[in-house]
Amino acid sequence: MEIFYIVSFLLLGIITCFILYSSLKYFITMWKFKNRKKDGSEDDDFKYFD
């Protein structure tokens, strides 16, 4: 029974790390998108959002 708790704890830890990584990546991308220049010189990086 203890093995089940260890495995489930590790699985939840891996899932949490994956979600945290995805959220940070999205936050950094949106922060760059929000602070981009208004003249359109950086638009090549954000074609996905346009």
Side-chain angles (χ1 to χ4, degrees):
M1 199 63 172
E2 291 177 9
I3 253 334
F4 174 73
Y5 290 129
I6 293 170
V7 170
S8 62
F9 182 73
L10 287 174
L11 192 62
L12 284 174
I14 291 170
I15 292 171
T16 304
C17 288
F18 177 73
I19 291 172
L20 183 65
Y21 173 73
S22 300
S23 300
L24 282 174
K25 200 166 71 167
Y26 179 78
F27 173 77
I28 291 170
T29 304
M30 280 298 153
W31 180 73
K32 286 181 183 176
F33 183 73
K34 182 178 171 271
N35 294 327
R36 68 181 178 165
K37 295 177 184 170
K38 299 297 180 201
D39 62 359
S41 61
E42 297 177 356
D43 281 348
D44 292 339
D45 296 336
F46 301 108
K47 286 185 180 183
Y48 179 77
F49 298 111
D50 290 336

